[in-house]
């Protein structure tokens, strides 16, 4: 991290790059995910005051977007007890990246680890509710599927033999710890439990609001490019469910589509409990 006074001596382009890196390092430190050796270490000035001074330097940049300038100025007016260090760093960093012409990828975002007092063994889930990810190629999408499955109470995730590796850094990043929490099994379609209802999420099936969800079952979701395979359609003896769409493209990201389906499945399971 660089001293605020030294930043004034740098030319504008270099100053923006240094500030972006510094705000990013500060945000990671605040979020508790700083890389070893990159923690905030100045003893003569508090981190909050250091953040304030860096922001004051940034506000002098004529290339700063008016909206970002207004938000940062408002954040700086907060008193010590209400000063939101992390939001200041986040707004400043992304405003600088916009000015530089660089934008962060989803897996580059600074996301704090979710803290919980509950153990994995105490996780609430719907017994017998599972998803089968068939040939998902994007590690980001796979991580998102794990995150949704955990959040919505799925018991298990199955992966096809050709599904991307959950250990990929981008999958781990987007899953937010849910891969470890949920676990997974690699199985072929033929190896799925014979005694479980199996259905697919695919076009050309029963509309989501009309589909009768099973109390226990496995939902197959297909690859980003081809959807579910003919073999998966054949294996899905319980049926095919479809999300109605009206747009010109009528297309959803597989992780988003799975989230919509899981919400409807959970609603159906909750109704079953009440009956």
């Amino acid at each position: 991290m660089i001293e605020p006074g030294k930043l004034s001596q740098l030319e504008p382009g270099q100053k923006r790059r240094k500030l972006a890196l510094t705000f990013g390092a500060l945000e990671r430190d605040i979020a508790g995910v700083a890389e070893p050796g990159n923690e905030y270490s100045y003893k003569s000035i508090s981190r909050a005051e250091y953040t304030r001074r860096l922001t004051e330097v940034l506000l002098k940049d004529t290339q700063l977007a008016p909206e970002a300038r207004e938000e940062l100025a408002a954040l700086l007016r907060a008193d010590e007890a209400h000063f939101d260090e992390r939001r200041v760093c986040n707004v400043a960093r992304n405003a600088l990246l916009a000015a530089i012409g660089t934008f962060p990828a989803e897996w580059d975002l600074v996301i704090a680890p979710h803290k919980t007092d509950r153990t994995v063994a105490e996780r609430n889930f719907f017994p017998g509710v599972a998803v089968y990810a068939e040939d998902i190629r994007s590690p980001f999408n796979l991580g998102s599927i794990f995150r949704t499955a955990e959040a919505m109470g799925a018991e298990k995730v199955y992966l096809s033999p050709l599904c991307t590796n959950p250990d990929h850094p981008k999958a781990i990043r987007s899953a937010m710890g849910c891969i470890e929490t949920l676990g997974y099994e690699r199985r072929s379609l033929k190896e799925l439990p014979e005694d479980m209802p199996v259905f697919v999420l695919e076009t050309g099936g029963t509309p989501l609001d009309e589909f009768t969800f099973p109390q226990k079952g496995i939902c197959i979701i297909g690859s980003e490019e081809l959807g579910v395979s003919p073999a998966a359609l054949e294996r899905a003896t319980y049926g095919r469910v479809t999300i109605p769409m009206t747009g010109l493209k009528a297309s959803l990201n597989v992780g988003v589509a799975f989230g919509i389906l899981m919400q409807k499945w959970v609603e159906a399971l909750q109704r079953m409990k009440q009956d």
Side-chain angles (χ1 to χ4, degrees), residues 106-107 137-145 164 168 170-171 173-175 253:
E106 174 68 25
W107 47 86
R137 307 299 185 183
S138 163
F140 174 79
N141 283 342
L142 185 63
S144 176
I145 289 165
T164 193
H168 191 288
K170 292 179 182 178
R173 178 74 166 160
S174 62
N253 170 274

Side-chain angles (χ1 to χ4, degrees), residues 3 9 50 66 80 94 119 134 136 140 153-154 156 216 229 239 247:
E3 293 181 5
Q9 303 171 19
Y50 179 76
E80 184 176 348
N94 285 292
T119 65
E134 184 188 39
I136 299 299
F140 174 79
K156 186 174 293 186
K216 297 181 179 181
S229 67

Side-chain angles (χ1 to χ4, degrees), residues 82-274:
H82 298 93
F83 181 57
D84 192 338
E85 289 181 73
R86 190 175 177 200
R87 183 166 295 278
V88 169
C89 290
N90 185 268
V91 172
R93 179 171 63 88
N94 285 292
L96 282 160
L97 291 177
I100 294 169
T102 303
F103 298 93
E106 174 68 25
W107 47 86
D108 291 328
L109 302 181
V110 180
I111 302 174
H114 288 242
K115 296 180 180 180
T116 177
D117 295 329
R118 307 183 66 183
T119 65
V120 172
E122 295 173 325
R123 185 176 72 87
N124 287 330
F125 60 86
F126 295 99
V129 171
V131 58
Y132 183 84
E134 184 188 39
D135 300 351
I136 299 299
R137 307 299 185 183
S138 163
F140 174 79
N141 283 342
L142 185 63
S144 176
I145 289 165
F146 269 93
R147 188 173 178 181
T148 296
E150 201 285 329
M152 301 306 293
E155 179 180 6
K156 186 174 293 186
V157 173
Y158 293 105
L159 305 181
S160 72
L162 296 180
C163 198
T164 193
N165 192 344
D167 293 334
H168 191 288
K170 292 179 182 178
I172 293 171
R173 178 74 166 160
S174 62
M176 290 293 293
C178 293
I179 295 173
E180 296 84 353
T181 301
L182 216 56
Y184 62 91
E185 294 180 31
R186 277 200 187 273
R187 294 196 183 188
S188 67
L189 287 167
K190 294 179 180 179
E191 293 171 328
L192 290 178
E194 293 290 341
D195 60 344
M196 295 283 283
V198 177
F199 62 99
V200 297
L201 175 61
E202 185 59 279
T203 58
T206 303
L208 195 62
D209 287 336
E210 300 174 19
F211 187 75
T212 302
F213 285 95
Q215 187 169 6
K216 297 181 179 181
I218 302 169
C219 177
I220 301 175
I221 54 176
S223 74
E224 298 89 344
E225 298 169 309
L226 301 174
V228 299
S229 67
L233 289 172
E234 184 177 346
R235 178 67 182 83
T237 54
Y238 189 82
R240 182 192 308 201
V241 59
T242 298
I243 299 172
M245 290 175 276
T246 58
L248 291 173
K249 292 291 290 184
S251 175
L252 288 171
N253 170 274
V254 63
V256 172
F258 176 59
I260 294 171
L261 175 129
M262 280 302 299
Q263 176 60 37
K264 286 295 185 180
W265 196 354
V266 167
E267 288 177 2
L269 291 170
Q270 289 171 339
R271 286 195 298 270
M272 292 177 197
K273 281 186 176 182
Q274 295 171 358

